[in-house]
Amino acid sequence: MIVSRNRDLLNMGIQDFIISSEKVAHVQSMNNAEHALLVLTRTGYSAIPVLDMKYRLQGLLSMKMITESILGLEHIEFDKLSTIKVEDIMDTNVAVLKNTDTFQRALELVINNAFLCVVDEDNMFVGILTRRVVLKQLKKYVYST
Ligand code: AMP
């Protein structure tokens, strides 16, 4: 009985748990690092998705990537911020979910990622799935079995 309920959860689609793109803070690959720093600081998130002009996912940008890009030998070179492009410092090697993926795949990937970007079949950005949301669903299932 418990085994079959677990299967139900693992085979469930992720669609209902996605935070949709309109609610997700992001930067564009052509933005400069100064703008990105403002977005990250204002939203309070440590990392956000990077999209191109057509809303296709390009990578992730974190505060650490910005800080490292302006780290001089003895000083932080704040003047450089406006000359650095997001696309030159973002991480392009990111784990991604398809909107048709199962909860099982999401569960495996959130172990090492606080959130995952979700794309459709054309690589258009659909939204994100956070570890918090995945754990909430898991908790619901564990407590009700
Ligand atoms: P949370 O589980 O809500 O703490 O979110 C984990 C991480 O997901 C945050 O640190 C952000 O990097 C990212 N995140 C969550 N919600 C948003 C959002 N609305 N816009 C952009 N990034 C988000």
Side-chain angles (χ1 to χ4, degrees):
M1 178 70 174
I2 289 175
V3 171
S4 112
R5 268 185 63 77
N6 288 351
R7 282 266 143 255
D8 289 348
L9 172 66
L10 294 175
N11 291 333
M12 193 186 275
I14 58 166
Q15 286 91 340
D16 293 345
F17 311 126
I18 298 170
I19 299 173
S20 66
S21 56
E22 319 84 73
K23 295 182 187 150
V24 177
H26 73 274
V27 283
Q28 291 196 339
S29 40
M30 294 305 288
N31 287 152
N32 65 32
E34 187 174 22
H35 172 78
L37 181 61
L38 276 172
V39 175
L40 281 164
T41 307
R42 287 209 176 116
T43 58
Y45 295 127
S46 48
I48 50 175
V50 180
L51 309 180
D52 69 8
M53 291 194 6
K54 292 186 169 165
Y55 245 66
R56 287 174 303 212
L57 180 67
Q58 304 296 300
L60 289 183
L61 186 75
S62 69
M63 200 63 108
K64 183 168 177 275
M65 292 168 205
I66 297 178
T67 314
E68 276 174 356
S69 73
I70 55 170
L71 215 55
L73 280 181
E74 294 189 18
H75 303 284
I76 296 180
E77 298 169 352
F78 289 105
D79 296 353
K80 280 174 68 182
L81 277 173
S82 60
T83 65
I84 298 168
K85 288 263 180 293
V86 165
E87 64 185 357
D88 295 330
I89 57 172
M90 67 185 179
D91 182 6
T92 53
N93 187 21
V94 294
V96 175
L97 286 170
K98 286 253 161 64
N99 54 353
T100 49
D101 274 334
T102 61
F103 189 86
Q104 177 166 16
R105 181 164 153 73
L107 185 58
E108 280 157 11
L109 290 176
V110 291
I111 292 172
N112 291 320
N113 300 279
F115 75 99
L116 296 157
C117 292
V118 186
V119 298
D120 69 12
E121 62 279 7
D122 300 320
N123 201 35
M124 298 294 282
F125 181 66
V126 172
I128 59 170
L129 185 63
T130 64
R131 184 186 287 154
R132 183 197 302 269
V133 169
V134 171
L135 286 178
K136 259 192 192 169
Q137 289 308 314
L138 198 56
K139 182 181 166 197
K140 246 193 221 168
Y141 258 71
V142 170
Y143 279 42
S144 65
T145 48

